[in-house]
């Protein structure tokens, strides 16, 4: 089972990668998602959406 995502860390890492690293927002979010063990940002956001709907850790 994957740990619960840290939204604050995700947003901070993505913002730094975008601003300081010159990445697009999409690539920066993919990087931030991978840092938390997700395939990409789409998988990260899907995990969170599933959690909100089911109110339990997928």
């Amino acid at each position: 089972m994957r740990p619960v995502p840290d939204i604050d860390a995700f947003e901070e890492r993505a913002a730094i990668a975008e601003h300081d690293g010159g990445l697009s927002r999409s690539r920066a979010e993919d990087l931030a998602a991978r840092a938390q063990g997700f395939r990409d940002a789409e998988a990260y956001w899907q995990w969170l959406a599933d959690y909100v709907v089911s109110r339990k850790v997928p």
Side-chain angles (χ1 to χ4, degrees):
M1 180 170 70
R2 177 177 286 134
V4 175
D6 182 337
I7 296 170
D8 291 332
F10 174 87
E11 291 295 338
E12 181 176 12
R13 183 176 290 262
I16 290 169
E18 182 180 14
H19 183 267
D20 293 348
L23 298 179
S24 67
R25 184 64 186 185
S26 176
R27 291 196 60 205
E29 286 188 356
D30 284 343
L31 178 73
R34 284 193 302 273
Q36 291 193 36
F38 291 88
R39 178 186 73 243
D40 55 23
E42 181 179 348
Y44 174 87
W45 291 117
Q46 186 60 56
W47 190 101
L48 286 173
D50 291 346
Y51 176 75
V52 168
V53 170
S54 68
R55 294 185 181 223
K56 61 183 176 184
V57 175

